[in-house]
Amino acid sequence: MNSAYHRRVAVPTVLSTAISPELADEAITLFTPLGSTEQHGPHLPLDTDTRIASAVATAAARELAAAAVGGRTALAPAIAYGASGEHQSFAGTISIGTEALRHLLVEYARSAAQWCRRIVFVNGHGGNIEATVSAVRLLRAEGRDIAWWPCAVEGGDAHAGHVETSLLLHISPDVVRREEALAGNSAPLRELMAPMRAGGVAAVSAIGVLGDPTTASSQDGARMFATMTRRCADAVHRWTPDADGRLV
């Protein structure tokens, strides 16, 4: 086999453009973004969660590759459909549900684990957590080295508000329709959970926004993104999954 396939490089291998020999006989950590296709108010695209998860996974994998720690990193195409039933009242939402997502993640990881050392699911959508935890617990019980990490901002608003709008103003400013942004329901998420379980997001916000996107800025987005990327890279480098398989 050509030795060029085995030289250390300072960038992650991208699965969508890689060839098989580049991925053989290597201690690879595979970053797989998990997102969703769901409404994000009148100002953000349906793939907001997928964009954020993909950007964080890419940046974290690059950071580890550049540091040359923990073996090689590789980037998988995002899984862009998740459990988004709470948004089903809004046009454009496509949800595959918790059970289907769980089965998808299990079979995905069983296959990928045949050639990579580790897999980390970088999750950008809160509705995916139940399926992700269940899948990762099973996979780890089977002896596979799988974990997950959430793209989260402590104390941030819940959906299509300041946090996600700021992140997209940093990551993909061209897709944000700032002139359409409207403040939504800014009540704490714990207060909204009961009515949301009964009637989805539409029961608490007619525009599908939980938070205030009108205060968003690219500067805040850059700061939050840098923090998420650093924390993700550090967590993957330490690789200490908790009982739910979440990297801590």
Side-chain angles (χ1 to χ4, degrees):
M1 185 179 293
N2 191 330
S3 61
Y5 292 139
H6 294 279
R7 67 180 184 274
R8 180 177 293 279
V9 291
V11 293
T13 302
V14 178
L15 258 63
S16 58
T17 57
I19 57 174
S20 180
E22 292 176 319
L23 298 163
D25 303 320
E26 293 284 0
I28 290 175
T29 297
L30 180 66
F31 284 73
T32 302
L34 304 183
S36 68
T37 300
E38 65 183 38
Q39 72 84 22
H40 274 77
H43 65 293
L44 295 180
L46 300 172
D47 70 345
T48 290
D49 294 339
T50 307
R51 284 177 186 264
I52 292 170
S54 296
V56 171
T58 299
R62 285 176 177 168
E63 186 171 312
L64 290 177
V69 293
R72 285 181 57 194
T73 60
L75 277 165
I79 296 173
Y81 296 95
S84 301
E86 69 274 19
H87 298 282
Q88 199 61 72
S89 298
F90 297 90
T93 297
I94 301 175
S95 173
I96 63 173
T98 295
E99 275 307 301
L101 179 61
R102 175 185 177 276
H103 286 300
L104 187 157
L105 296 180
V106 168
E107 295 305 320
Y108 176 104
R110 284 172 174 168
S111 177
Q114 297 296 315
W115 54 266
C116 67
R117 180 182 64 171
R118 289 172 168 170
I119 301 167
V120 56
F121 293 119
V122 179
N123 180 46
H125 172 51
N128 294 342
I129 292 176
E130 181 181 348
T132 303
V133 169
S134 179
V136 171
R137 280 178 172 173
L138 173 61
L139 291 159
R140 292 186 62 79
E142 292 175 347
R144 296 174 173 85
D145 205 1
I146 317 293
W148 68 281
W149 192 86
C151 298
V153 175
E154 293 180 10
D157 47 18
H159 185 75
H162 178 90
V163 170
E164 290 187 319
T165 305
S166 294
L167 285 167
L168 256 66
L169 284 171
H170 172 62
I171 296 167
S172 302
D174 55 308
V175 304
V176 180
R177 303 186 185 188
R178 296 211 66 168
E179 68 282 0
E180 303 294 337
L182 297 170
N185 192 332
S186 295
L189 188 58
R190 64 180 178 276
E191 297 178 10
L192 302 176
M193 288 307 297
M196 283 174 56
R197 288 192 185 100
V201 173
V204 297
S205 176
I207 60 172
V209 175
L210 303 178
D212 189 357
T214 66
T215 62
S217 71
S218 59
Q219 293 81 8
D220 279 355
R223 175 181 53 79
M224 290 186 283
F225 182 75
T227 299
M228 279 197 288
T229 296
R230 183 181 68 252
R231 289 178 176 174
C232 181
D234 288 348
V236 173
H237 176 52
R238 289 193 303 269
W239 201 263
T240 53
D242 65 12
D244 289 333
R246 172 176 169 165
L247 295 174
V248 297

